[in-house]
Each structure stands twice: as structure tokens, then as C-alpha cells.
Amino acid sequence: MVDFDKGLENWLKSIEEHANLSATKKAQVTGAGAAVFSQILKKNTPVSGESYSKGRSVGHAKGRKTKHLKESITFKPGFNHDKLPTGDTAVGFDSKYSALVARFVNNGTRDMSSKELKNMHFFDKSQVEARDAILRAEAERMKRL
């Protein structure tokens, strides 16, 4: 019984050594997953009919929205949403205004058109769609480390 417990402890220690990554290695792994998720999110993000080619500002405040939501999706490997270097990677939008607009598009508003209803929950659907691809990308990067 003692040998079994010692063997189990050694196995647990070896797993902990491989699973505990430094922030830089964790950033590489989560960055690979974030790259995959951002591509799927860009594919699923709805595009309005507005044209931004002339640098025209669209929205209530002057100078606020000058590009489509899918063009404002961004991430920085190893940095969370508070811009702290934790090793976690957050995928989001490049400005608070874009995030606000994305939230309204994702969650819906009152008196929505049929097109707006169709576009609801695009972020949530992207998360579900990307889950397996993210895991594969992170596993591949983990194997390289």
C-alpha cells in the first residue's frame, strides 16, 4: 500500500510539473487558441450596410464608429481584458464603443427587425462553434512546448 501511494504521488508531481506553465508559455498556448477564436468570430460577426470607405463616422457621437465590428476584433497573446500580463488571452473589441455596439447586436434590443433577430447571439454561437478548434490549436501548441 505504501508503494502505491508513493507511485501515485510521483505521478501527481510529474503532472504538476508539466501542467504549471510560466506566463510566457501560457501566453503562447492561449494565444494560439485566441487566434483561432478571433477568426471564427470575424466570420460570424454581422456586418451593417453602412459604408466606411470614405472615412464617414456612423453612430450618435461624432467620430465614434469608423469601421465594421469584425474589423475591430483584437487580442494580444498573454494579456487579459484588464491588459495585465497574466498569460491568459482575451479576445474582444478594440474600443469600449465597439464593445458596446457588439453587446447590443449580440443581446438584442427592443423592436428588432428580422435581420437583427437573425444576428442575435453571434458571439455565443461563435464560442460554441470554436470550442473544438480552440482546444486543438492549444493542444498542438502545448505539444510544441
Side-chain angles (χ1 to χ4, degrees):
M1 188 67 140
V2 174
D3 292 334
F4 177 73
D5 289 340
K6 189 168 184 144
L8 191 58
E9 287 178 20
N10 290 338
W11 175 77
L12 182 60
K13 285 180 186 176
S14 70
I15 295 296
E16 286 176 347
E17 288 173 5
H18 289 89
N20 291 335
L21 298 175
S22 66
T24 55
K25 288 185 179 181
K26 187 176 180 184
Q28 292 176 12
V29 173
T30 59
V36 170
F37 178 60
S38 69
Q39 291 302 315
I40 292 174
L41 183 59
K42 283 179 185 178
K43 178 184 68 130
N44 292 338
T45 301
V47 178
S48 69
E50 294 292 332
S51 173
Y52 300 103
S53 62
K54 305 271 190 243
R56 180 173 165 248
S57 175
V58 176
H60 295 290
K62 190 172 186 136
R64 282 274 179 106
K65 190 173 179 209
T66 57
K67 57 186 171 182
H68 290 290
L69 278 179
K70 68 172 41 183
E71 297 166 357
S72 67
I73 295 171
T74 184
F75 68 94
K76 186 174 181 183
F79 289 83
N80 64 8
H81 63 281
D82 291 326
K83 299 179 182 164
L84 298 174
T86 60
D88 298 325
T89 303
V91 176
F93 298 92
D94 61 2
S95 70
K96 289 181 182 180
Y97 185 74
S98 294
L100 176 74
V101 170
R103 182 174 168 221
F104 285 138
V105 173
N106 186 61
N107 297 343
T109 57
R110 195 177 88 194
D111 299 329
M112 296 188 319
S113 67
S114 59
K115 178 184 175 186
E116 291 169 330
L117 282 171
K118 185 185 77 157
N119 292 333
M120 274 185 66
H121 307 298
F122 74 94
F123 199 89
D124 307 325
K125 292 173 184 174
S126 297
Q127 287 176 328
V128 171
E129 182 182 332
R131 186 174 294 140
D132 292 337
I134 290 170
L135 289 175
R136 281 193 298 273
E138 288 181 346
E140 182 63 34
R141 182 56 59 108
M142 191 75 162
K143 287 177 186 175
R144 284 192 228 158
L145 291 176

